[in-house]
Amino acid sequence: MSADLPVWDALKFGYLPTDVVYGVEGDAEADPPWAEGGVAAEHELRLPVAAAALSYGTGIIEGLKAERSADGRVLLFRLADHAARFFRSAERMLLLPFPEERFVAAVKQLVRANARFIPPAGHGTFYVRPLEFAIEPMLGLRQGRRFMVTLYGCPVGDLGHGAVGALKVLDIPRSSKGGTAEAKAIVNYGGVLLHRERARREGFDDVLFTGAGAVQETTGTNVFCRLHSGELVTPRLDGRFLGGITRDSVLHLARAEGLEVDERELRVQEILDHGQELFCTGTATGVRNVARLVHKDREKTFTQGELGETLGQRLSAIRAGSVPDPFGWTDEVSL
Ligand SMILES: Cc1ncc(COP(=O)(O)O)c(C=O)c1O
């Protein structure tokens, strides 16, 4: 046993070493392209200094959760959907796509081997971070041939409590058409950090990216707005931001409740003029209401904890296995 267990009541959203990480290498010209792979105690990677991903950002990530139910089962949330997105992200970044059934097996192997790090029911979750990147030495940008898939995981608490405070609207797109934002590519993150840090220095919690006045996403969540008319709107997937799996789950839950739900263009102006409630969705964040939205000299304060909280609680209950899962979203891991 290598790593110490955390104090369950003091868990935050952050990295902690565990017993094992998963690793496997792939070679596009080998048969079969992916080696057998497996878990090992070593938590550090050894890479050539010229490994392609380090120079060119040819890498992708995923993020999903395992959780203990009150009756002692370990449940993974929307595993197949994360496997499918990992595959699509690899295709977009010209990496060697990792077969979905291999992804599913690797996540289960990692979770099983780190079972003692899965928090007790109600005390947090086990966050799994799969990565894939191009590892062969490369000077001069070209499509790679050799890749590594690595998965680590750690126990986490919530990313935050209560409402997201204030969001600052930026007249900057996360991505334009043909960009990388619809993939979970590592190049989507480093570049937006500056925007978020500047906004944080002004007292905001995050920024909201927009393209020509249309809402896209924050640095790490999708957004929903409930208008005074009762309509629940989230931006239609247009290739310029990430199609969140939490977003999709909230859409299913809202439709199952019989709400009027629309995936369409959502304009900042419309939120400022007609928005009643605004919330963010993401695997790490869950569903969190936004207190305030600021765009230039306009500001809007929202109703708190109504629909966002209800949908968030429904989602958490399904994920934690405390209510039936009518959508087949949870996968039990046999320990
Ligand atoms: C840029 C971005 N948008 C949206 C999301 C929400 O996606 P999901 O609900 O699949 O976690 C994430 C999650 O990491 C993200 O990084």
Side-chain angles (χ1 to χ4, degrees):
M1 298 288 170
S2 46
D4 292 333
L5 286 180
V7 178
W8 299 124
D9 285 332
L11 276 181
K12 294 194 166 54
F13 192 86
Y15 174 70
L16 292 170
T18 56
D19 285 335
V20 294
V21 300
Y22 175 93
V24 62
E25 288 195 20
D27 180 336
E29 289 173 23
D31 183 23
W34 289 99
E36 199 173 325
V39 293
E42 178 59 63
H43 279 52
E44 292 188 4
L45 300 173
R46 224 182 130 78
L47 290 176
V49 287
L54 299 180
S55 285
Y56 303 118
T58 38
I60 58 168
I61 58 172
E62 261 306 321
L64 69 158
K65 282 178 167 176
E67 184 163 351
R68 256 184 229 283
S69 65
D71 59 6
R73 291 170 295 147
V74 172
L75 301 173
L76 278 156
F77 189 65
R78 302 201 66 171
L79 177 57
D81 299 291
H82 286 279
R85 191 169 65 183
F86 197 61
F87 194 94
R88 288 196 306 273
S89 295
E91 288 181 316
R92 170 62 184 85
M93 300 306 290
L94 288 185
L95 313 183
L96 178 67
F98 195 47
E100 293 170 45
E101 65 281 5
R102 293 288 307 269
F103 181 99
V104 165
V107 171
K108 289 186 173 172
Q109 193 178 351
L110 178 87
V111 169
R112 213 175 274 129
N114 285 312
R116 70 190 186 98
F117 284 90
I118 309 168
H123 285 76
T125 54
F126 185 83
Y127 187 86
V128 179
R129 166 53 50 85
L131 308 120
E132 179 176 348
F133 41 93
I135 55 172
E136 77 200 71
M138 190 184 288
L139 184 60
L141 178 64
R142 60 187 159 79
Q143 184 171 358
R145 178 184 141 180
R146 291 186 46 229
F147 301 89
M148 177 182 274
V149 165
T150 302
L151 281 71
Y152 71 86
C154 50
V156 295
D158 289 337
L159 188 55
H161 291 285
V164 176
L167 288 185
K168 179 176 183 172
V169 178
L170 296 184
D171 295 322
I172 297 173
R174 182 64 179 259
S175 154
S176 41
K177 200 149 182 60
T180 54
E182 71 179 323
K184 214 162 155 59
I186 60 176
V187 290
N188 293 333
Y189 296 93
V192 298
L193 190 56
L194 177 70
H195 298 303
R196 196 186 66 186
E197 288 313 300
R198 279 188 180 144
R200 284 195 171 166
R201 270 180 248 137
E202 295 169 22
F204 295 96
D205 291 272
D206 205 343
V207 292
L208 182 61
F209 293 96
T210 63
V215 170
Q216 294 181 334
E217 62 182 354
T218 73
T219 56
T221 63
N222 295 112
V223 288
F224 284 76
C225 184
R226 184 161 64 115
L227 303 173
H228 286 296
S229 64
E231 183 195 14
L232 180 65
V233 188
T234 194
R236 183 194 318 116
L237 300 179
D238 64 357
R240 295 166 216 223
F241 62 92
L242 188 72
I245 289 168
T246 320
R247 170 189 179 278
D248 183 70
S249 306
V250 166
L251 283 170
H252 275 86
L253 289 172
R255 288 186 174 125
E257 299 274 325
L259 297 170
E260 186 194 341
V261 187
D262 245 323
E263 293 174 75
R264 61 167 172 80
E265 183 178 271
L266 174 62
R267 304 201 62 79
V268 175
Q269 194 63 40
E270 191 178 10
I271 302 179
L272 293 169
D273 291 342
H274 306 293
Q276 179 169 345
E277 191 178 342
L278 189 68
F279 51 87
C280 296
T281 64
T283 298
T285 305
V287 180
R288 281 181 79 198
N289 277 87
V290 175
R292 214 155 54 87
L293 185 75
V294 176
H295 183 223
K296 296 180 179 152
D297 55 356
R298 281 201 69 184
E299 173 167 343
K300 173 100 182 175
T301 305
F302 299 98
T303 305
Q304 291 303 298
E306 289 186 351
L307 186 59
E309 196 166 310
T310 308
L311 292 172
Q313 283 167 355
R314 289 237 344 102
L315 186 61
S316 303
I318 293 176
R319 217 184 52 203
S322 48
V323 295
D325 168 15
F327 305 101
W329 285 338
T330 49
D331 249 283
E332 184 173 347
V333 185
S334 56
L335 295 181

